Amino acid sequence: MLQAKPLRSSSTGALAGTIRVPGDKSISHRSLMLGAVAVGETVIHGLLEGEDVLNTAAAMRLLGAQAERGGDGVWRVRGVGLGGLSEPAQVLDMGNSGTAARLLMGLVASHPITCVFTGDASLNKRPMARVTGPLEQMGARFVGRSGGRLPLAVVGSDRTVPITYRLPVASAQVKSAILLCGLNTAGTTTVIEAEPTRDHTELMLRHFGATVTTERMEDGALAVSVVGQPELTGREIVVPADPSSAAFPVVAALLRPGSELLLPGIGMNPRRTGLYDTLVEMGANIAFENRRDEAGEPVADLRVKHGPLKGIVVPADRAPSMIDEYPILAAAAACAEGTTVMLGLKELRVKESDRLAMVADGLTKCGVKVEVGADDSLTVYGTGKPPQGGATVATAMDHRIAMSFLVLGMASAEPVQVDDGAFIDTSFPGFVTLMNGVGAKIAGV
């Protein structure tokens, strides 16, 4: 258990300089997992070395693969081949990461091994039934706490069967868990999603040599299919900088007069750029320079300058492409001129915390008028002026809540304090140092 680390963020002058954001967390998790079941060596440049991803690397070693960081900062994974994972001698501790836990459950479910998953206090509160349900249909068994919560034992099988599964709620994690189980299952496994979710799993599966197809159905839904039991071959991967992590310095620069930041090599997967589309609609001065592809993923350098923002309505169908970014969008909306309405936020209630309630409570304490709708919407009434601030905000061990309110503190009339910033390093190691390096004033309490 990490010791609580209260942090205080105070109003700053202009932010200026270059920020090199750590590697994309979603892609980092997947590169380790697929490298572990590929034949040969996978070489990973720019792997995010936050606690969540390091826990995934440790889990892959317990499952029989080799995953080590070289002195050059490059990670090399020596895989065991598809179907070759071995039963771990220890519990797999996934720390704070729901992505790692859910995806790895899918990967091990098609192996005749038993694995016990656990996590920190936050992860162990999160429901896993949405993943265990379809995996049980494929032939795995699960023994866990009520609601399928961790600690949870996965009893895998080498006789899993392919399924066609329609997602009841848009979730890249559930989709990916099913596809990863289908990877080592004879036949074709299909996931149908009414709304497109992030497709890092599909792109990386193709990169390693799997056959993955996406087909538009008559009702407009997408059917994503993987053909089971291919031979995956180790690959070289360049991990883009994480667009979800980049969101925090981007919004900070937008809010502070005179600011200009450059963020090189940010992942621009169109299923991850909902926040940036929204900020541009709000009037944000963001230039997307030097667009290019790296290892199948689009990237760009972001140049961000301060400018006024205006309130807008953010449609519900944008949620899958920015589900992790609503807390920082709410901070931006608090400083915008006019009302911002964010629709379709039900999924926020089952993140690291009930993010919808946490954001609304924190903004209210900072003097911002907000409303949470019965339809899981969030309305933020911006005045175009800095909010009052001067509050201590509870984070519930949620790194994105912590970073969002530290950014808000940079623009508030009075400092904003978060009760615990220790968990920031799970996804954005060095956040405080990087932000202070371009002019922020974040300090321990």
Side-chain angles (χ1 to χ4, degrees):
M1 182 72 178
L2 292 174
Q3 183 175 356
K5 184 180 178 181
L7 295 172
R8 178 184 292 122
S9 178
S10 304
S11 179
T12 71
L15 304 178
T18 298
I19 283 192
R20 297 194 177 276
V21 175
D24 186 281
K25 184 162 67 166
S26 296
I27 295 173
S28 293
H29 284 308
R30 288 161 172 81
S31 63
L32 290 168
M33 292 183 194
L34 291 181
V37 294
V39 174
E41 184 176 75
T42 292
V43 180
I44 309 170
H45 303 268
L47 187 86
L48 170 64
E49 294 182 352
E51 293 172 25
D52 282 353
V53 175
L54 295 179
N55 284 332
T56 295
M60 302 325 296
R61 287 192 290 268
L62 287 171
L63 289 162
Q66 298 176 26
E68 303 295 341
R69 182 186 192 273
D72 55 0
V74 176
W75 281 73
R76 290 172 171 81
V77 181
R78 176 65 64 172
V80 295
L82 194 59
L85 297 178
S86 55
E87 189 164 279
Q90 301 175 32
V91 171
L92 303 179
D93 188 344
M94 308 317 295
N96 191 245
S97 179
T99 297
R102 292 182 175 121
L103 268 60
L104 193 51
M105 284 180 192
L107 192 65
V108 303
S110 61
H111 292 70
I113 59 177
T114 297
C115 304
V116 178
F117 286 77
T118 192
D120 63 18
S122 172
L123 182 59
N124 285 0
K125 294 177 182 177
R126 298 177 66 180
M128 297 291 161
R130 58 171 62 182
V131 171
T132 60
L135 294 179
E136 283 179 332
Q137 292 180 31
M138 299 180 76
R141 293 190 294 118
F142 298 87
V143 180
R145 295 164 57 225
S146 61
R149 290 176 170 81
L150 306 185
L152 180 148
V154 181
V155 183
S157 170
D158 57 1
R159 297 183 179 181
T160 47
V161 297
I163 61 171
T164 296
Y165 185 80
R166 182 178 285 270
L167 293 176
V169 177
S171 171
Q173 293 178 2
V174 178
K175 173 179 67 174
S176 297
I178 297 168
L179 293 176
L180 290 176
C181 184
L183 191 62
N184 192 38
T185 298
T188 299
T189 295
T190 300
V191 179
I192 300 170
E193 51 182 8
E195 302 171 24
T197 62
R198 49 178 77 176
D199 60 351
H200 299 305
T201 299
E202 297 97 300
L203 291 174
M204 191 165 289
L205 281 169
R206 293 188 186 109
H207 188 57
F208 276 88
T211 298
V212 180
T213 59
T214 301
E215 180 182 356
R216 181 74 64 178
M217 304 180 68
E218 289 185 3
D219 63 358
L222 288 178
V224 184
S225 301
V226 62
V227 178
Q229 299 180 337
E231 181 168 299
L232 304 183
T233 305
R235 291 286 190 260
E236 187 164 6
I237 296 171
V238 178
V239 179
D242 194 316
S244 295
S245 296
F248 302 101
V250 164
V251 170
L254 293 174
L255 299 184
R256 294 308 304 155
S259 295
E260 181 175 348
L261 292 180
L262 177 65
L263 295 88
I266 306 300
M268 286 285 106
N269 185 304
R271 298 193 190 182
R272 292 284 300 280
T273 56
L275 173 73
Y276 299 98
D277 298 337
T278 301
L279 290 173
V280 169
E281 288 178 13
M282 295 174 75
N285 188 341
I286 305 175
F288 302 89
E289 302 174 349
N290 190 21
R291 289 184 179 270
R292 57 204 185 272
D293 281 347
E294 292 180 357
E297 291 278 353
V299 302
D301 304 331
L302 273 54
R303 189 175 299 276
V304 188
K305 298 180 182 179
H306 166 262
L309 301 176
K310 64 180 185 298
I312 64 168
V313 176
V314 186
D317 62 8
R318 196 171 289 173
S321 67
M322 58 181 294
I323 195 64
D324 286 330
E325 283 77 70
Y326 283 106
I328 189 62
L329 175 61
C335 302
E337 177 70 44
T339 302
T340 298
V341 182
M342 306 170 216
L343 302 173
L345 307 189
K346 182 178 181 180
E347 185 72 6
L348 288 187
R349 294 198 181 277
V350 292
K351 286 292 187 178
E352 282 82 341
S353 64
D354 181 342
R355 281 186 179 156
L356 182 52
M358 298 289 292
V359 168
D361 181 65
L363 289 178
T364 300
K365 288 180 177 177
C366 290
V368 180
K369 182 182 176 182
V370 301
E371 290 180 9
V372 176
D375 57 349
D376 293 313
S377 63
L378 177 65
T379 301
V380 179
Y381 297 92
T383 63
K385 300 177 181 179
Q388 184 62 35
T392 296
V393 176
T395 60
M397 301 164 61
D398 190 321
H399 47 109
R400 299 193 195 279
I401 294 291
M403 287 186 280
S404 297
F405 280 97
L406 291 173
V407 168
L408 187 66
M410 298 178 200
S412 299
E414 298 179 22
V416 173
Q417 182 171 317
V418 297
D419 65 351
D420 189 3
F423 288 86
I424 291 174
D425 280 345
T426 63
S427 69
F428 196 152
F431 170 76
V432 172
T433 301
L434 282 171
M435 292 304 302
N436 286 345
V438 294
K441 297 178 181 177
I442 303 173
V445 179

